[in-house]
């Protein structure tokens, strides 16, 4: 089996975290999200994957090469310009030769792919769309189906009075490559507003595959935080790397943890991290490799990328800290604050209420109270 993963987006909703890192490469529990995704596909029988890339393509090539490190075959194909979801797949059509999975590169799911493929083949479908129920359908594209699950209608971000189903397009498809003949070459063209309506009009069989598998879009700051919490509390299948040193506390490689530090799992600690005297770490929290946490630091529901220096008395709660930052003593990062890479903050700053700080920002002591 083959798959195409659409990883061409700029990740604007996740900025500043994606200013230097492509969205699919951002760390998820200290592992690039796309790597977790590729390993999951491999373990479900997909041996060959095409990454349709447009933004920071070299980062993917450097990390994965031809895929041999992951025991699979990987093609990294760079688009000359943004082609949209269907246009990106059309651009790699020459690599496809049978039913193919298509994934959006910002969707995390533990969907049973073998079962979805069997359903696609049983229905003799040309396109099968994974559908998942949501509580608030007004924020998504709804998919109405007939009694036999054949797709009947698409409804994008409907008004409350227009809602007839709570099933949404979950961003995973199985397609027969022959449907790509309806996609114009070398153009921006979307599945949702282009190809799928054309297939409905022509009458080719297109079915919805309803599932209650875990599903979330990691492309927004709060959902990026939420998916870490979901992984750590066990809502989604995930194999933690490293050794479990205490109840729900994992260390990847070597870490130096002061005996007086208090930790309440689930917590994941990266290789080479140092945790100082009196630190208090409450899960769900992820600390990246090479971080240095000073005395009396307090972390709760926090996500730290690699090589951060967090000085004495800092509090980080329900927030994300990018890579290579220095956070001055007694600073507060809380309530969904998002900090980019390579920032330097002086002492006693307060950054709260979802504030976003761009890479390279320098703040003096007590410069911000937000």
């Amino acid at each position: 089996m083959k798959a195409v993963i659409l990883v061409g987006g700029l990740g604007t909703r996740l900025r500043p975290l994606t200013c230097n890192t492509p969205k699919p490469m951002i760390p998820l529990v200290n592992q690039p999200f796309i790597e977790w995704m590729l390993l999951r596909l491999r373990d479900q029988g997909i041996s060959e994957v095409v990454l349709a890339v447009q933004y920071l393509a070299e980062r993917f090539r450097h990390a994965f090469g031809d895929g041999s490190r992951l025991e699979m075959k990987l093609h990294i194909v760079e688009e000359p310009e943004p082609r949209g979801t269907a246009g990106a797949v059309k651009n790699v059509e020459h690599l496809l030769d049978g039913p193919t999975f298509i994934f959006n590169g910002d969707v995390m799911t533990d969907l049973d792919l073998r079962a979805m493929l069997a359903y696609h083949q049983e229905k003799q479908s040309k396109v099968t769309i994974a559908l998942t129920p949501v509580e608030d359908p007004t924020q998504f594209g709804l998919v109405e189906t007939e009694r036999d699950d054949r797709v009947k209608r698409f409804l994008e971000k409907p008004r409350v009075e227009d809602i007839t189903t709570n099933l949404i397009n979950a961003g995973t498809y199985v397609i027969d490559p022959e449907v790509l003949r309806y996609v114009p070459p070398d153009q921006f063209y979307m599945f949702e507003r282009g190809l799928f309506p054309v297939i409905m009009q022509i009458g080719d069989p297109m079915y919805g595959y309803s599932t209650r598998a875990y599903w979330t879009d990691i492309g927004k700051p709060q959902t990026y935080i939420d998916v870490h919490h979901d992984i750590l509390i066990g809502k989604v299948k995930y194999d933690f790397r490293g050794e479990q040193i205490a109840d729900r506390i994992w260390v990847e490689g070597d870490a130096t943890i002061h005996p007086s530090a208090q930790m309440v799992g689930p917590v994941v600690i990266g290789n080479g991290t140092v945790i100082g005297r009196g630190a208090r770490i409450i899960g769900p929290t992820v600390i990246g490799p090479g971080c240095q946490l000073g005395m009396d630091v307090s972390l709760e529901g926090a996500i730290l990328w690699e090589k951060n220096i967090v000085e004495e008395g800092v509090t980080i709660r329900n927030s994300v800290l990018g890579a290579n930052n220095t956070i001055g003593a007694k600073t507060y990062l809380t309530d969904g604050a998002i900090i980019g890479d390579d920032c330097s903050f002086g002492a006693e700053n307060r950054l709260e209420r979802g504030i976003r700080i761009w890479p390279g920002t320098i703040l003096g002591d007590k410069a911000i109270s937000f």
Side-chain angles (χ1 to χ4, degrees):
M1 275 295 296
K2 294 182 180 180
V4 177
I5 306 178
L6 304 174
V7 292
L10 299 179
T12 52
R13 293 177 300 163
L14 260 181
R15 288 186 174 173
L17 297 176
T18 50
C19 289
N20 301 321
T21 304
K23 178 169 56 176
M25 290 287 291
I26 64 174
L28 193 66
V29 193
N30 292 342
Q31 178 184 32
F33 169 64
I34 190 68
E35 182 171 320
W36 173 85
M37 193 174 186
L38 289 169
L39 291 172
R40 178 180 159 273
L41 299 190
R42 183 199 67 187
D43 293 345
Q44 293 208 51
I46 295 175
S47 59
E48 190 169 350
V49 175
V50 181
L51 297 185
V53 184
Q54 213 276 316
Y55 177 59
L56 297 176
E58 280 305 315
R59 293 288 300 274
F60 295 95
R61 294 192 183 98
H62 177 74
F64 303 115
D66 63 0
S68 56
R69 178 174 67 85
L70 304 180
E71 300 178 354
M72 64 195 316
K73 188 173 183 180
L74 191 63
H75 307 271
I76 299 174
V77 180
E78 188 171 359
E79 301 173 22
E81 68 280 322
R83 294 279 175 85
T85 51
V89 178
K90 180 73 173 180
N91 189 53
V92 301
E93 182 179 18
H94 61 285
L95 296 171
L96 311 181
D97 53 13
T100 301
F101 276 96
I102 311 295
F103 300 94
N104 287 338
D106 57 3
V107 169
M108 182 172 185
T109 179
D110 58 6
L111 178 65
D112 185 335
L113 302 181
R114 290 188 177 95
M116 184 174 175
L117 177 61
Y119 177 89
H120 175 83
Q121 294 169 331
E122 175 192 341
K123 292 288 191 178
Q124 297 184 317
S125 181
K126 297 299 182 185
V127 174
T128 300
I129 304 170
L131 307 179
T132 191
V134 295
E135 291 184 7
D136 180 10
T138 62
Q139 302 302 309
F140 300 94
L142 301 189
V143 183
E144 292 183 359
T145 58
E146 305 282 4
R147 288 181 178 272
D148 65 351
D149 297 328
R150 188 161 180 150
V151 173
K152 176 182 178 182
R153 184 168 73 126
F154 296 94
L155 193 58
E156 190 66 28
K157 294 185 178 178
R159 299 174 300 177
V160 173
E161 58 268 28
D162 295 329
I163 293 173
T164 57
T165 178
N166 68 342
L167 292 175
I168 69 165
N169 178 348
T172 298
Y173 317 126
V174 184
I175 69 165
D176 285 3
E178 66 188 72
V179 302
L180 296 174
R181 69 183 184 272
Y182 304 131
V183 179
D186 304 325
Q187 291 186 30
F188 186 94
Y189 201 75
M190 300 294 287
F191 280 118
E192 302 86 346
R193 295 184 293 277
L195 181 60
F196 293 165
V198 168
I199 290 174
M200 286 188 61
Q201 186 175 10
I202 291 170
D204 283 352
M206 179 166 53
Y207 286 84
Y209 177 73
S210 300
T211 173
R212 290 191 172 273
Y214 181 88
W215 177 91
T216 193
D217 170 4
I218 69 163
K220 295 182 288 187
Q222 189 56 52
T223 55
Y224 177 65
I225 294 172
D226 291 344
V227 75
H228 274 86
H229 295 180
D230 289 347
I231 290 169
L232 291 172
I233 67 175
K235 285 183 67 175
V236 59
K237 300 171 187 174
Y238 197 94
D239 293 325
F240 296 118
R241 301 188 296 184
E243 178 186 358
Q244 186 169 354
I245 63 167
D247 181 30
R248 300 188 303 160
I249 296 173
W250 292 266
V251 174
E252 302 166 351
D254 295 323
T256 302
I257 303 170
H258 195 277
S260 66
Q262 300 177 41
M263 291 191 289
V264 178
V267 173
V268 175
I269 302 168
N271 182 45
T273 283
V274 177
I275 298 176
R277 177 171 58 82
R280 187 168 179 263
I281 316 295
I282 297 177
T285 286
V286 176
I287 304 168
C291 290
Q292 298 179 41
L293 308 186
M295 293 188 301
D296 300 320
V297 162
S298 176
L299 305 183
E300 182 174 355
I303 302 162
L304 277 60
W305 293 11
E306 65 180 359
K307 298 179 180 177
N308 287 292
I309 299 173
V310 181
E311 297 182 351
E312 180 180 354
V314 167
T315 295
I316 304 177
R317 186 181 304 117
N318 194 42
S319 297
V320 182
L321 190 59
N324 303 303
N325 297 288
T326 298
I327 308 300
K330 299 181 181 178
T331 288
Y332 280 76
L333 304 176
T334 61
D335 300 329
I338 308 292
I339 312 302
D341 305 329
D342 305 307
C343 296
S344 179
F345 297 171
E348 298 185 50
N349 283 285
R350 298 188 71 96
L351 298 100
E352 303 172 295
R353 292 180 286 180
I355 190 172
R356 303 191 192 192
I357 303 296
W358 253 240
T361 297
I362 298 174
L363 300 177
D365 295 346
K366 302 181 181 179
I368 288 184
S369 180
F370 178 84

